[in-house]
Amino acid sequence: MEWEAVIGLEVHIQLLTNSKMFSGASARYGAVPNTQACAVDVALPGVLPVMNVEAARMAVKFGLAIGAKINHHSVFARKNYFYPDLPKGYQISQYELPIVQAGHVDIEVDGVSKRIGVTRAHLEEDAGKSLHEDFHGLSGIDLNRAGTPLLEIVSEPDMRSTGEAVAYLKKLHELVRYLEICDGNMQEGSFRCDANVSVRPKGETKLGTRAELKNINSFRFVERAIAYEIERQIDVCEGGGTVVQETRLYDPNKDETRSMRSKEEAHDYRYFPDPDLPPLEFDDEFIREVAKTLPELPDAKRERFMREYALPAYDAGVLTATHEMANYYEETVRASGVDPKLAANWVAGDLAGYLNKENRTIAESAVSAPMLSGLLRRIADNTISGKIAKDVLDAMWNGEGDADSIIEKKGLTQITDTGAIEKVVDEILAANSKQLEQYRSGQEKLFGYFVGQVMKATAGKANPKQVNDVLKRKLRG
Ligand code: ADP
Ligand code: MG
């Protein structure tokens, strides 16, 4: 029997507001425990929540970016459960009327495009954090995170493979950073994902029973957790068993999912509208104002890069992965005036290599766009070869100055004087009479050997194209 996997993702993003969802306490990450939890966050009796409008603005911005319906009227609800890091005994969330409904995200896997539905995105507050280390058999509670604004983005069960799930997640990750509503930091938990997975016989239209996977805090773990879970469920079904609806925890060390608890149902939470908060009401004007703040979105930017700079899809994809990267590239093209493809090769190739190696973002690049432009101009006007340019970039990266001063200081100017190149070629041919004889008797692959010798003799400074031309001419004669 052939099986088909069905996957739906719930993604929680932490919104980049200064203060919390319903209190004025700072929402910044990493403070000393319990120094950013005010009376509202610790739920002292009698305190009242006040809505942070900035969070609503960000939710609307997201909704507009995924072509969703923005509800002009949405309602906060209490989701009731007990946990030590939830002092109120309920989480303020949205249930029946979320702020955003029915949008979509387009993904591409192996060249095939697919539209993934987004059922809803709703605002809610985060809970605190339980700390289980350093307390000698006890647990600590840090309420700094309590009340931090979250947007929960719930997809339709539209994905059919781990590849599609990861593509969707990466697309969302890219989008929320473009929109500047989330920093996307998965280690710090500002972008978290729960994966719902079920399997069914191929051709079946009814959904199978799902398991919900928790604790998957990297793209790689998402892929591995879902892959493991699909296999596990197929094994259960083929062994004659039935999959039970439950919440499972992914263990990255053992690379497996383990049952955590049977899955709770919505009615277990006794949702009801929060009487302390009025419904959220927007007029069209508010939505129009937010729409004005939408940046050029990743897909549009990628298409424009391919069109405007005549870049292949791959280059355009790398260069638009973040808007900072895209800005860097466009600044380099503008400032250098060189062929956009040359600029793309250096930004997406060599420079990206340095950034990766040192795990830096483009904003932390040791070589700024104007500096790289200086280097590209010298390649374009033939002052240096592409090969020498790599050494110059290395020196620039290590803080030795701008391209022109490095070229000058190290005497790297390319030899483009044909006479000078001919002289070196003559010397090399004279000194390698044996190879010359072999070449002339048909061993044409020795051509590369001669090129290498000339480059070596000129410390890489001879213009490679001219060396080729001169050698061809001399070898023919
Ligand atoms: P909750 O998990 O909070 O109970 P929902 O019922 O809204 O909430 O479902 C959450 C997610 O589970 C959604 O992303 C949805 O697409 C996905 N989902 C629902 N049923 C299935 C299924 N049978 N197989 C896979 N994913 C599913
Ligand atoms: Mg869920």
Side-chain angles (χ1 to χ4, degrees):
M1 169 129 60
E2 256 208 273
W3 297 90
E4 172 178 71
V6 175
I7 303 156
L9 300 181
E10 292 164 272
V11 175
H12 287 85
I13 64 165
Q14 218 169 75
L15 296 173
L16 274 176
T17 56
N18 293 323
S19 58
K20 292 190 177 169
M21 187 73 187
F22 301 109
S23 84
S26 168
R28 198 167 45 85
Y29 178 85
V32 174
N34 298 310
T35 56
Q36 287 179 177
C38 71
V40 173
D41 307 323
V42 305
L44 295 187
V47 294
L48 287 171
V50 177
M51 165 76 198
N52 182 341
V53 183
E54 205 47 45
R57 211 169 263 137
M58 290 179 178
V60 170
K61 197 172 176 185
F62 175 78
L64 292 172
I66 60 162
K69 171 168 174 258
I70 311 295
N71 284 328
H72 286 61
H73 173 93
S74 74
V75 172
F76 287 106
R78 292 186 179 182
K79 179 179 183 179
N80 301 281
Y81 66 92
F82 171 79
Y83 207 75
D85 63 18
L86 187 74
K88 288 199 298 298
Y90 61 85
Q91 175 194 28
I92 306 177
S93 181
Q94 296 194 299
Y95 185 55
E96 276 175 338
L97 283 168
I99 188 165
V100 168
Q101 263 177 313
H104 57 81
V105 170
D106 293 330
I107 60 166
E108 201 183 293
V109 178
D110 300 330
V112 182
S113 307
K114 181 166 173 178
R115 177 157 286 191
I116 306 299
V118 173
T119 319
R120 56 188 275 150
H122 62 255
L123 285 165
E124 62 184 27
E125 56 175 353
D126 209 343
K129 223 187 258 176
S130 303
L131 309 170
H132 302 297
E133 283 151 29
D134 310 328
F135 288 96
H136 310 288
L138 303 172
S139 287
I141 304 287
D142 176 10
L143 292 173
N144 281 353
R145 202 178 65 179
T148 301
L150 300 177
L151 187 67
E152 175 172 344
I153 304 160
V154 182
S155 86
E156 290 289 311
D158 283 349
M159 289 153 275
R160 296 289 174 270
S161 65
T162 53
E164 288 184 5
V166 172
Y168 166 81
L169 207 59
K170 287 196 167 159
K171 208 68 193 287
L172 264 193
H173 190 251
E174 177 185 70
L175 181 63
V176 298
R177 283 176 305 145
Y178 257 76
L179 297 174
E180 298 185 298
I181 60 173
C182 173
D183 65 19
N185 191 324
M186 292 175 97
Q187 278 86 51
E188 292 177 2
S190 21
F191 186 96
R192 322 198 274 264
C193 168
D194 299 337
N196 294 271
V197 178
S198 64
V199 298
R200 63 185 175 190
K202 207 154 188 140
E204 170 66 62
T205 50
K206 268 207 337 272
L207 290 173
T209 305
R210 72 180 146 132
E212 180 170 338
L213 312 181
K214 300 256 181 204
N215 193 35
I216 35 187
N217 55 8
S218 77
F219 293 118
R220 197 160 54 96
F221 291 166
V222 167
E223 182 160 11
R224 301 220 320 233
I226 296 175
Y228 174 89
E229 184 60 19
I230 293 171
E231 284 309 309
R232 187 191 70 84
Q233 292 186 13
I234 292 175
D235 282 351
V236 168
C237 296
E238 291 190 335
T242 46
V243 173
V244 290
Q245 178 158 330
E246 62 184 352
T247 301
R248 298 178 70 88
L249 194 73
Y250 176 65
D251 178 344
N253 297 318
K254 297 207 173 120
D255 193 24
E256 63 178 28
T257 65
R258 275 198 306 275
S259 182
M260 202 167 126
R261 55 173 188 255
S262 68
K263 171 98 179 90
E264 60 292 331
E265 308 267 355
H267 64 246
D268 294 326
Y269 289 116
R270 293 297 189 268
Y271 281 98
F272 65 89
D274 193 317
D276 286 342
L277 285 157
L280 262 180
E281 306 275 355
F282 307 132
D283 51 16
D284 289 334
E285 184 52 29
F286 179 81
I287 294 173
R288 267 199 301 277
E289 284 303 315
V290 177
K292 280 190 207 148
T293 68
L294 276 182
E296 181 181 33
L297 298 179
D299 284 346
K301 206 187 270 293
R302 223 171 338 266
E303 273 161 37
R304 180 170 65 78
F305 273 32
M306 291 171 68
R307 202 175 56 239
E308 199 172 316
Y309 303 119
L311 295 179
Y314 176 80
D315 295 41
V318 174
L319 294 171
T320 57
T322 63
H323 61 97
E324 290 91 350
M325 182 68 134
N327 291 345
Y328 184 102
Y329 171 71
E330 294 206 277
E331 194 188 336
T332 304
V333 171
R334 257 197 316 275
S336 66
V338 305
D339 173 12
K341 176 60 179 146
L342 176 70
N345 291 347
W346 282 84
V347 176
D350 295 81
L351 186 79
Y354 279 93
L355 296 173
N356 283 343
K357 202 169 70 203
E358 298 191 10
N359 204 9
R360 296 191 194 200
T361 66
I362 189 80
E364 299 158 340
S365 172
V367 174
S368 66
M371 280 172 78
L372 185 67
S373 302
L375 177 66
L376 297 184
R377 274 197 299 272
R378 294 300 157 257
I379 301 172
D381 70 10
N382 264 326
T383 304
I384 55 172
S385 67
K387 191 150 174 298
I388 293 285
K390 287 182 195 284
D391 299 337
V392 178
L393 179 63
D394 194 69
M396 283 164 73
W397 186 269
N398 292 317
E400 293 178 36
D402 63 23
D404 283 339
S405 62
I406 292 166
I407 292 168
E408 156 107 40
K409 204 164 53 200
K410 303 196 171 184
L412 297 175
T413 303
Q414 180 162 240
I415 304 168
T416 52
D417 171 11
T418 310
I421 291 175
E422 279 180 352
K423 191 161 158 276
V424 180
V425 168
D426 287 340
E427 283 164 16
I428 294 295
L429 292 183
N432 292 278
S433 50
K434 205 170 96 222
Q435 284 84 350
L436 184 58
E437 209 171 289
Q438 288 170 339
Y439 179 85
R440 293 216 158 113
S441 62
Q443 287 202 42
E444 294 198 353
K445 64 174 191 297
L446 277 169
F447 188 80
Y449 168 79
F450 293 122
V451 173
Q453 292 299 308
V454 175
M455 294 313 281
K456 202 166 140 199
T458 58
K461 289 189 290 184
N463 176 293
K465 178 160 186 319
Q466 281 173 288
V467 171
N468 269 280
D469 293 346
V470 170
L471 259 174
K472 266 187 208 140
R473 189 150 40 75
K474 298 256 175 197
L475 287 170
R476 234 186 283 125

